[in-house]
Structures are given as structure tokens and as C-alpha cells.
Amino acid sequence: MIELSAEAITFLMLGGLFVLILTGYPIAFVIGSVAMGTGLLVFGPTTTFHILYTRFYDLSLNYPYLAVPLFTFMGVILQHSGATKELYDNLYESLGSLKGGLALVTIIFGTILATCLGVIAASVTILTMMALKPMISKGYDKGLASGSVIAAGTLGILIPPSIMLVVYAPQAGLSIGQMMIGAFLPGLLLSSLYLLYVYIRCRMNPSLGPSIPKDEIQPFTAKRLWSLTKSLLPTVVLIFAVLGTIFAGLAPPTEAAAIGCLASVILAIIYKKFSWALLKKAAIETLRVSAFVVMIAAMSYAFVGIFMSAGAGDVVANLILSVPGGKWAAFAVIMLIVFLLGMFIEWIGIVFIIVPVFSPIFVKLGFDPLWAGLMVCVNLQMAFMTPPMAMSIFVLKGSAPPELGITMRDIIRGVFPFIGLVWVALILLTIFPQIITWLPHLMIAK
């Protein structure tokens, strides 16, 4: 064992984590190796293995994490149920005549999809396959089309049901139900900002998003209104099945997730898409995602256990609390740290590492923990859109048809304005915190 100051251990662990992430090794192995190496160096094998064992054991008994496989299963079943295609087609026929109409449809469809899917890869893939080709074929700017798909697809990690909220809440000692209800309006705020940006941009420069030809425009009749309403019903059913039961206090989030699974299976049966092959595919995807989450969670638990036991958490807390400018300057520093981490680390690693460190700081600064937690979650939207670690960008690039000629330059150019809009949303949520806290307070009042 080596005697090191808490400051040196902080530098060793955070610096080692950053350097090893740049090597490209899987994030779980990087986090776990830094934790193990530092623990053996500072505490020795006995204490290190005790810390790791107790952390892993606590994780295995964390009941709320059962919602992760349940929401994943629900999302995969819905993805293949056929309900989403009918909805997109109806929105396309209703709004395609507007300047930028197809991009607006994509964002609206992505917002609706976000209330059903909590897995980013699924949302972005669906939007890419259904929306990107129609936009490009109608002459849309490749950057605007790509940015709209990525921004809309990424909403699924914020708008409930969201795996991020399920992972974040237990780490911060918050209610998953309250976080889900609190995330609903910020998600709609982001969606509204995206829609406003696309509409204004295409009004100023119609060549970026031309409307569909007049001979393809169909009159909006009562029959079309009924078709649109009918295609929205699956989403309404799922929202009521999950969020409705949570808000009404009928079931906690884990049980509500199980109800959502049942509702998605029923919808797949109604649309005649349910089969044993689909059930097998959903089970395998659920196992893959759940194993990914648990693996990173276990390694991150180990990292945080060693980090906090060595006093490094106090070093970070004292550093942030001593920032000149008071609590708002300290909060701005935290938001900047989260943003920068999102460029290099996957969101789940960020959540498991920073939440145990930053949550006590939020309390010391006098912030509402629920509001502060959801501000971090909104901030993490950018982690999916900021290179080099930008999962949404890579999912779109990998799933986009090659004949469309979408380049990484097109995607990155198109996504930057939406990153700026997330910062605008953070500012608005800071000025008007009630956007986050209003619905959860209604829930508590009940």
C-alpha cells in the first residue's frame, strides 16, 4: 500500500479514467480497472475486495432496477408492433404541406415515440428508417434532416418511460415516479424548441425543407382526422398504462413497467405482429441491454466505492463549493462538467459516477434535489449528440441507407443547432424551475 493524499487519489482516478477511455476499451472495463488498481494501491487487497463485494451485493438487491429490463422489453415489442408506422404515415399526410413539414413530422413522431420507447438506439433507428429517406428524397438539407432525426430520437432517454431516470433516481435517493413525472414537461419543452427552430429556419430559407408537391397534398377530411386519432390510440394506451398508473398512485414504477409490457404485447396482438420469433427477439434484446446496464453499474459502483472511501468525493465537493460567485456559479460548473463528460463517456457511466458525488453538493448548495437531478438528465441529452462519444450520431450513420450519401460532416453540422437548443432549455428551466417541479408536487399532493 502507498500513502497518498485525497487530492492525489482524485487526480489519479479521474485522470486514469479519462486517459483509458481515450484508448477505446469498453467503458465498464475501464471504470472497473481504475477502481481495482487504485484500491489495491491505496487500501490493499482485503479492504478493496470488501468494498467491491459490498457494492456489488447492494446493487444486486436494488429492486427499482427491475424496471430496466421491463421498459426495454416493452420498447422492443412496440418497435415491431406496426403501430408506429401507421402513426408516421398519418402525420406525414397531415403536415407534409408545410415548409419543413417532414422535419416537423419527424420531431413530433419522435416525441410520441419517446413516450413509448426508453432506448435511444431503437428510437433513432426507427426515425432513420422511416423519416430520413422521405426528407432527403424531397430535397431537404442533409444536415437539417439528420439533426432532426437525432434530436427527436434522443428525446426517448428523457421523456418517460426512460431508462436514464430509472438508473438516476436510486443513485440520488429520489423517487423514480416523481422523476418520471417531472421529466415530462422538460421533454415537451425541448420538443417545442426543436419544432420552433425547424419552422423558423425553413420559413427563412425554404430550400432547406421544401413542402411536398401540391399534387401530393390530400385535403384534411374527417376521415383523415379519424385515422390520425386512431393511430394515436396505442400511444395514449401506453402513456396511461405507465405514467397514468404512477401519477394516480395505483402502482410504483417497477409494477407500472410490467403493466406497460402487458399493454405492448396486447397492441402487438391487435396489429397481428406478435409471434414467438418477436418474443424471442425481445427477450434477447432485453437480456443484452440489461446485462450492459448491470455490467457498467457494477463497475461504476466499484469506482464510486473506492473514490468515496479514499476521500476523493470530499475533494471534488470542496473544489466546487469554493468556486467564486456563489451557488449558481457552482451549479454552472457542475453543468459544464456533465457536458464535458458527455463528450467522452456514455451516459450510464456518467450517472453512476457523478450522482453519488454531486447529489450531496446539490443539497449543500440549497437546490431542490429533484430539480437538480432532472437538470442533469436534460444536460445528458447532449451526451448523445456531442462527438466523439455520440451514440445517436453513430446509430444514424450506421442505419442510414448508403444511397442517401449522408456523411459524418452532414450529421455533425446538422446536430450543432440542436445542442444549442438544449442549452436554451437548461436556461429556461433554471429561470422557471416550476416546469420541472409542478407535476411532481401535484403527485405528492395526491
Side-chain angles (χ1 to χ4, degrees):
M1 293 182 292
I2 299 177
E3 290 290 336
L4 293 174
S5 65
E7 290 79 6
I9 295 172
T10 303
F11 179 80
L12 176 65
M13 294 191 74
L14 296 181
L17 184 65
F18 179 76
V19 170
L20 289 178
I21 284 172
L22 295 180
T23 65
Y25 280 98
I27 184 69
F29 298 149
V30 168
I31 295 173
S33 62
V34 171
M36 177 71 77
T38 306
L40 293 175
L41 187 67
V42 176
F43 298 116
T46 302
T47 302
T48 298
F49 291 136
H50 174 73
I51 293 173
L52 300 187
Y53 171 78
T54 54
R55 300 288 288 185
F56 290 171
Y57 185 73
D58 288 344
L59 176 67
S60 68
L61 296 180
N62 202 318
Y63 178 73
Y65 286 141
L66 283 176
V68 172
L70 292 172
F71 280 135
T72 303
F73 181 86
M74 183 186 80
V76 175
I77 293 291
L78 184 74
Q79 180 182 353
H80 297 88
S81 68
T84 55
K85 186 179 186 308
E86 182 181 348
L87 176 57
Y88 180 80
D89 290 343
N90 278 287
L91 288 172
Y92 175 91
E93 293 176 359
S94 301
L95 298 177
S97 59
L98 297 175
K99 293 288 189 299
L102 298 187
L104 297 177
V105 167
T106 300
I107 295 170
I108 294 172
F109 180 62
T111 305
I112 296 172
L113 202 62
T115 64
C116 308
L117 302 176
V119 182
I120 288 299
S123 298
V124 175
T125 301
I126 290 174
L127 288 173
T128 300
M129 301 306 293
M130 296 181 66
L132 193 59
K133 187 173 182 179
M135 282 192 283
I136 301 301
S137 64
K138 299 298 181 184
Y140 274 61
D141 176 76
K142 292 180 180 179
L144 180 69
S146 301
S148 299
V149 167
I150 289 173
T154 306
L155 287 171
I157 204 65
L158 177 64
I159 297 177
S162 162
I163 292 178
M164 180 191 290
L165 303 179
V166 174
V167 171
Y168 189 104
Q171 297 295 304
L174 298 171
S175 162
I176 296 177
Q178 289 182 27
M179 283 206 75
M180 284 195 174
I181 298 301
F184 196 72
L185 291 182
L188 293 182
L189 172 64
L190 272 177
S191 176
S192 300
L193 290 173
Y194 297 161
L195 290 169
L196 187 62
Y197 162 74
V198 169
Y199 179 76
I200 293 175
R201 187 90 190 275
C202 291
R203 289 287 294 182
M204 293 174 62
N205 186 358
S207 64
L208 294 175
S211 57
I212 61 176
K214 291 184 178 180
D215 57 349
E216 295 183 20
I217 299 175
Q218 300 294 328
F220 194 84
T221 61
K223 182 179 180 181
R224 179 182 290 181
L225 178 61
W226 166 244
S227 180
L228 179 61
T229 304
K230 186 174 66 172
S231 63
L232 282 168
L233 282 178
T235 304
V236 174
V237 169
L238 278 175
I239 292 174
F240 179 78
V242 179
L243 296 184
T245 53
I246 295 173
F247 188 80
L250 299 176
T254 305
E255 283 76 4
I259 295 172
C261 287
L262 177 61
S264 65
V265 169
I266 292 173
L267 286 173
I269 293 173
I270 291 173
Y271 280 86
K272 299 180 181 180
K273 296 291 185 179
F274 186 77
S275 64
W276 287 113
L278 175 58
L279 187 62
K280 179 181 177 181
K281 180 180 179 67
I284 292 174
E285 181 65 14
T286 298
L287 181 62
R288 187 190 68 79
V289 172
S290 301
F292 170 76
V293 171
V294 171
M295 184 68 175
I296 294 182
M299 295 299 102
S300 300
Y301 256 52
F303 182 94
V304 171
I306 299 295
F307 192 80
M308 302 299 280
S309 299
D314 293 332
V315 173
V316 175
N318 292 334
L319 182 64
I320 292 175
L321 292 171
S322 63
V323 170
K327 70 175 189 177
W328 289 110
F331 184 76
V333 169
I334 292 175
M335 289 291 103
L336 181 60
I337 291 173
V338 173
F339 171 73
L340 293 175
L341 286 175
M343 298 175 68
F344 301 99
I345 305 177
E346 293 200 31
W347 70 268
I348 191 168
I350 297 173
V351 168
F352 278 109
I353 292 171
I354 70 165
V355 173
V357 178
F358 287 163
S359 291
I361 299 176
F362 288 140
V363 174
K364 289 180 181 178
L365 291 172
F367 292 113
D368 182 337
L370 177 64
W371 174 83
L374 283 170
M375 288 290 284
V376 171
C377 291
V378 172
N379 191 325
L380 285 173
Q381 287 276 296
M382 293 181 284
F384 296 89
M385 298 188 280
T386 48
M389 181 62 71
M391 188 178 76
S392 293
I393 289 178
F394 297 123
V395 171
L396 182 142
K397 186 67 174 71
S399 56
E403 62 269 18
L404 297 182
I406 301 293
T407 65
M408 288 298 291
R409 184 177 180 277
D410 292 326
I411 299 172
I412 294 172
R413 173 175 59 85
V415 85
F416 272 164
F418 293 96
I419 294 172
L421 291 173
V422 177
W423 280 111
V424 172
L426 286 171
I427 293 171
L428 291 174
L429 293 172
T430 301
I431 298 172
F432 306 104
Q434 298 83 1
I435 297 174
I436 290 176
T437 59
W438 178 59
L439 284 177
H441 287 168
L442 286 180
M443 182 181 175
I444 294 172
K446 288 190 174 186

